[in-house]
Amino acid sequence: EVQMLESGGGLVQPGGSLRLSCAASGFTFSTYAMSWVRQTPGKGLEWVSSISASGSATDYADSVKGRFTVSRDNSRNTVYLQMSGLRAEDTAVYYCAKDNKGGYSYAYGDYWGQGTLVTVSS
Amino acid sequence: EIVLTQSPGTLSLSPGERATFSCRASQRLSSSYLAWYQQRPGQAPRLLIYGASSRATGIPDRFSGSGSGTDFTLTITRMEPEDFAVYYCQQYGSSPRTFGQGTKVEIK
């Protein structure tokens, strides 16, 4: 069974940093791209970042470019999202999703984790 | 960035009724790179449809997708109690991937 388990969310002050992790199981992790998507009540679902199966290519939404970094450890079946310079508008539930293929172009998320809540507030 | 507009915002239906959701793209989607997701309260989105009309693994055949270009439709032939949820469309043909704002289906 394909599963993703996110962790690392919590309360952080504006300007602070947080690292999210997503542990995957039930599929050959190293052959699929992975993505992060966030959800807020006000803005709905927003794609944040994707990383290719090998980790050699990454893509970011303009809203997080330069502040967030996606990476993966294929030996640990884990993808990470390092978030810095956090703002109130980054408050959201962050979901990790398995993409349907190795490259993230023309790919969609076919399995999603349950999400982890990030709250940016003083 | 491609903007997806879903309608209606809310749909009130009874179990057994047919549901039809619309998703309109601001630009033509090449090769029908459009997906539909279902999100129940407190749960993550679940993939229903990809490529505009292909059902994902394990999705019942009462769910179907259609459309091309800029206009896409999700149809549920007969609403089951577990189908009352929020439905999102998403395009994945260009970066950034974008989502519609969702259609909520509530029990009449």
Side-chain angles (χ1 to χ4, degrees):
Chain A
E1 182 188 4
V2 174
Q3 287 188 328
M4 267 73 65
L5 183 62
E6 301 93 338
S7 61
L11 175 64
V12 60
Q13 292 188 338
S17 298
L18 211 54
R19 187 178 84 155
L20 306 183
S21 300
C22 170
S25 61
F27 63 100
T28 306
F29 182 76
S30 62
T31 62
Y32 290 93
M34 298 292 292
S35 294
W36 289 94
V37 177
R38 66 187 181 184
Q39 185 170 33
T40 63
K43 290 193 69 176
L45 290 165
E46 180 188 15
W47 168 80
V48 172
S49 181
S50 295
I51 184 167
S52 64
S54 66
S56 61
T58 57
D59 195 14
Y60 299 91
D62 286 346
S63 58
V64 307
K65 201 170 292 183
R67 300 187 299 123
F68 289 12
T69 302
V70 63
S71 61
R72 63 191 294 160
D73 184 341
N74 285 347
S75 68
R76 296 178 181 270
N77 288 1
T78 301
V79 61
Y80 305 96
L81 186 68
Q82 178 69 47
M83 306 184 293
S84 60
L86 283 162
R87 306 166 180 165
E89 55 264 35
D90 296 318
T91 295
V93 174
Y94 284 74
Y95 293 102
C96 160
K98 168 191 169 292
D99 280 353
N100 65 304
K101 60 192 189 74
Y104 53 71
S105 296
Y106 310 112
Y108 53 86
D110 56 3
Y111 293 93
W112 296 49
Q114 285 303 302
T116 186
L117 176 63
V118 173
T119 303
V120 184
S121 175
S122 53
Chain B
E1 162 173 329
I2 296 177
V3 176
L4 299 179
T5 302
Q6 291 187 241
S7 60
T10 304
L11 202 50
S12 296
L13 296 170
S14 300
E17 286 193 292
R18 180 186 186 93
T20 303
F21 314 92
S22 171
C23 176
R24 177 162 290 177
S26 61
Q27 302 171 37
R28 184 181 180 280
L29 300 187
S30 57
S31 301
S32 297
Y33 289 124
L34 187 105
W36 289 95
Y37 294 89
Q38 176 195 68
Q39 187 175 34
R40 295 171 178 149
Q43 296 187 16
R46 176 176 75 142
L47 177 69
L48 299 175
I49 301 286
Y50 62 92
S53 60
S54 298
R55 268 188 303 276
T57 303
I59 301 303
D61 60 7
R62 65 180 181 272
F63 291 89
S64 64
S66 63
S68 63
T70 61
D71 291 298
F72 299 87
T73 301
L74 174 69
T75 301
I76 308 174
T77 52
R78 286 179 56 87
M79 288 291 292
E80 298 289 340
E82 62 268 27
D83 298 338
F84 290 89
V86 181
Y87 293 83
Y88 296 94
C89 58
Q90 182 211 21
Q91 68 80 23
Y92 53 97
S94 68
S95 181
R97 303 178 192 180
T98 50
F99 292 86
Q101 80 279 19
T103 292
K104 181 180 181 180
V105 186
E106 60 181 25
I107 299 176
K108 184 190 277 185

